[in-house]
Every structure is written in structure tokens, then in C-alpha cells.
Amino acid sequence: MKKLLASTMLAAGLYAVAGSAQAAECGDVSIAEMNWASAGVAAHVDKIILESGYGCSVTLVTGDTMPTFASMNEKGQPDMAPELWVNAVRTPLDEAIAEGRLIQAAPLLSDGGVEGWWIPKFLADANPEIKTVQDALARPDLFPAPEDASKGAITNCPSGWNCQVSTANLFRALGAEEKGFELIDTGSAAGLDGSIANAFENQKGWLGYYWAPTSILGKYEMVKLSFGVEHDKAQWDACTAVPDCADPAVNAYPVSDVYTVVTKEFSEKAGVAMDYVSTRKWDNQTVGKVLAWMDENQGTNEDGARHFLQNYPEMWTSWVAPEVAEKIKAAL
């Protein structure tokens, strides 16, 4: 018994020393909690895992794409932006990486930020011949306009958003009006979301712009249609994304790169925590389901993070070592 007790005490002592060393390696970490839901949840997932699994002391700071990037680039704070849509800062980010200030760690969203034109899955299942936007435009009867059911409707994204311009240009490029369709302005994000909810509640056709990851696509099963062409960046920049472009061509939406970006100082001090940051990623479907749960339960970003960690262990335990996973589970 004495031998067993001594061994246990030795093991406990070693574990304590290892834990202290790990905490000392990680230290204080500041993380940007961006002002959109998926990034907010990711920030809280990182906070829980880094604190419970790696002994870090984490502070969350309010963030948004441009001010957070500028602060990290110029001041080295915060240490980490878990979900940065890097195309928005591509050129200065490349300069910061080349000059050794920032590190582009790993993609957080395994399938990237996705935009496109979608239809309800129940409609796609009932009409399997509809695979492309062009297929859908051949059936205006399946997508009746709210004010004139003799015409089809394509629902645009909210006024003032960039996607409103691209959707309007693609509407013209596809000759949608000549095919019997109207372009519907929902006026706001709430109006757009409401039009999708109404389509599902009444089992009616819906065709229009949306993006992922979002709670709507986590709550309602939608199918993204192909435009039948690859993304043409030159055409996109010169015309598709330009208001009232004179001669728009059919184009596909780009997939946005969404990465975790950290400061060089963090990458050097974080030790094994940096391995976690360079490993973890989740897909849009999972994020959408977590966001839908938050929407239905009026959950906060922290609530969403805990819901994810409690309900998707098969995903996040693959991001960390088994002994780290056990510490995190014990803290939930």
C-alpha cells in the first residue's frame, strides 16, 4: 500500500509539474470574439479548450474583420483571430506573413465560406432533374412569385450588401426575366430569413441567394445549385461584383478562405496549444446545426460552444491528445 501510495503521489506530482509547465508555456492568451455568430462560438470553443486542456489564461476581446486584423498586424494584439475571412485582407496579410508578424495557421471552416443560389431539399428531392440554376430557371412554376404566381421568383440578398449586386448581375446574365422570373428584394436579412422559413412551413418552392455557415442552413435543409461554370475571378472583379455592370456573364460564387490567424509571438510561446490551433477545423453543416440550436434556444456564443463540446465529442476529441480531451470533458 505504501508503495502504491508513493507511486500515486509521484504520479500526481509529475502531473502537477507537467501541468504547471504547460500553463507556463501557454500563459495569457487574447482571442478575438468576432461580431458574427459562427466566429463567436469558435472563440468560446477555443477559450474552453485552451483553458481546460492546456492551462492557458484566455481573455476574449470584441472583434471585427478589419479592426482586428489591423490591431494584430500593427500592435500584435489580440493573439488570435479564430475565424478570419482572409480574402478581405489578402494583400496586407501576405505582407504581414512575409515580414514575420502574423501566421496563417489552418482553415477553421473545412469547406470554406460558401455563397450561392439554393432551393429547399424537399423540392430538390421531388424534382431530381434540377441540378443547376439553369434547370431551375426552366421551371418558374415551381418558384411562384409572392405577388404574381404566374411568374417565378428569385430572392435577392439584403439591400446594401455586396451579394445584392452579384445576384442582380447574375439574374441578368442568366436571362432570368425572359424565362419568366422576377428578382425579389426582401429588404433585410430578417426578411430574407423569413421568406425561407415561410417556404418550409408552407412547403412552397423557393429559389434565391444564401450563404453558409448560418443558422438558417442549419435549421432548414437546402441544396446549393451549380451555375454550370467555374468561378472566373477576373470576370467577377470586373463585372459580376460591380453595380449595374453593362454585360454580365454567368459566373460562380467564389469559396471564401476562412483561416485562423495568430501573431508570431503567440505561435512561439503557445507550445502544444499551437498544435491544437493548427489542427482543429469544423464543417459548415456542423456549424449550421450549432447556430440553429442557439437560435432556437436563444443561446449565447458560450452556450453554443458548450453545446458543441457536449454533443460533438467525436469531432473535437480528434483535435487534441486523449489526456487533454479528458481534462476538457471534466470541465464541461
Side-chain angles (χ1 to χ4, degrees), residues 226-241:
S226 167
F227 280 88
V229 296
E230 297 293 325
H231 172 64
D232 183 337
K233 186 176 186 305
Q235 168 69 15
W236 187 274
D237 293 342
C239 182
T240 313

Side-chain angles (χ1 to χ4, degrees), residues 166-241:
S166 57
T167 301
N169 282 334
L170 290 170
F171 181 89
R172 289 192 291 130
L174 290 157
E177 184 173 357
E178 293 75 12
K179 292 180 171 66
F181 279 80
E182 294 180 344
L183 186 59
I184 304 299
D185 182 0
T186 55
S188 66
L192 175 60
D193 292 357
S195 72
I196 294 174
N198 182 64
F200 275 80
E201 289 169 4
N202 295 288
Q203 292 290 288
K204 290 185 176 178
W206 187 94
L207 169 63
Y209 171 91
Y210 216 79
W211 72 99
T214 48
S215 61
I216 284 290
L217 294 187
K219 186 175 183 179
Y220 301 110
E221 284 192 277
M222 303 275 281
V223 174
K224 187 163 77 75
L225 300 178
S226 167
F227 280 88
V229 296
E230 297 293 325
H231 172 64
D232 183 337
K233 186 176 186 305
Q235 168 69 15
W236 187 274
D237 293 342
C239 182
T240 313

Side-chain angles (χ1 to χ4, degrees), residues 111-167:
D111 32 15
V114 179
E115 301 174 272
W117 289 14
W118 309 68
I119 62 175
K121 186 174 183 298
F122 66 78
L123 193 74
D125 290 342
N127 300 275
E129 73 280 7
I130 298 179
K131 302 293 186 185
T132 67
V133 170
Q134 291 84 347
D135 294 335
L137 293 179
R139 294 294 306 276
D141 58 301
L142 293 178
F143 311 96
E147 302 296 331
D148 183 357
S150 68
K151 295 184 177 180
I154 295 172
T155 305
N156 205 340
C157 88
S159 301
W161 292 17
N162 291 340
C163 47
Q164 183 190 33
V165 173
S166 57
T167 301

Side-chain angles (χ1 to χ4, degrees), residues 22-313:
Q22 196 172 72
E25 290 175 1
C26 183
D28 297 327
V29 180
S30 55
I31 298 177
E33 182 180 359
M34 300 298 202
N35 56 6
W36 60 91
S38 59
V41 174
H44 279 272
V45 167
D46 285 343
K47 175 178 169 62
I48 294 170
I49 288 180
L50 290 176
E51 288 187 333
S52 304
Y54 297 99
C56 307
S57 177
V58 176
T59 300
L60 297 180
V61 297
T62 301
D64 201 349
T65 302
M66 299 311 292
T68 294
F69 172 78
S71 181
M72 292 178 71
N73 191 26
E74 296 168 8
K75 303 176 182 176
Q77 287 292 326
D79 293 303
M80 181 166 68
E83 183 183 310
L84 190 68
W85 292 54
V86 297
N87 290 350
V89 292
R90 184 75 270 172
T91 300
L93 175 60
D94 286 345
E95 291 175 358
I97 292 171
E99 293 168 6
R101 294 188 299 277
L102 299 177
I103 303 290
Q104 184 171 305
L108 177 65
L109 299 179
S110 58
D111 32 15
V114 179
E115 301 174 272
W117 289 14
W118 309 68
I119 62 175
K121 186 174 183 298
F122 66 78
L123 193 74
D125 290 342
N127 300 275
E129 73 280 7
I130 298 179
K131 302 293 186 185
T132 67
V133 170
Q134 291 84 347
D135 294 335
L137 293 179
R139 294 294 306 276
D141 58 301
L142 293 178
F143 311 96
E147 302 296 331
D148 183 357
S150 68
K151 295 184 177 180
I154 295 172
T155 305
N156 205 340
C157 88
S159 301
W161 292 17
N162 291 340
C163 47
Q164 183 190 33
V165 173
S166 57
T167 301
N169 282 334
L170 290 170
F171 181 89
R172 289 192 291 130
L174 290 157
E177 184 173 357
E178 293 75 12
K179 292 180 171 66
F181 279 80
E182 294 180 344
L183 186 59
I184 304 299
D185 182 0
T186 55
S188 66
L192 175 60
D193 292 357
S195 72
I196 294 174
N198 182 64
F200 275 80
E201 289 169 4
N202 295 288
Q203 292 290 288
K204 290 185 176 178
W206 187 94
L207 169 63
Y209 171 91
Y210 216 79
W211 72 99
T214 48
S215 61
I216 284 290
L217 294 187
K219 186 175 183 179
Y220 301 110
E221 284 192 277
M222 303 275 281
V223 174
K224 187 163 77 75
L225 300 178
S226 167
F227 280 88
V229 296
E230 297 293 325
H231 172 64
D232 183 337
K233 186 176 186 305
Q235 168 69 15
W236 187 274
D237 293 342
C239 182
T240 313
V242 177
D244 300 320
C245 170
D247 188 22
V250 178
N251 206 339
Y253 284 86
V255 175
S256 298
D257 292 330
V258 182
Y259 278 74
T260 293
V261 173
V262 303
T263 62
K264 184 70 176 297
E265 182 180 358
F266 172 81
S267 72
E268 293 173 344
K269 76 179 182 181
V272 292
M274 188 61 196
D275 295 337
Y276 156 74
V277 173
S278 299
T279 301
R280 59 107 169 79
K281 64 176 68 173
W282 52 0
D283 58 88
N284 284 338
Q285 185 177 19
T286 300
V287 179
K289 288 179 179 178
V290 171
L291 299 181
W293 178 87
M294 291 168 59
D295 186 59
E296 293 169 358
N297 294 277
Q298 297 184 323
T300 64
N301 290 337
E302 182 178 358
D303 294 334
R306 292 188 177 279
H307 174 78
F308 167 74
L309 293 170
Q310 290 165 348
N311 291 276
Y312 296 86

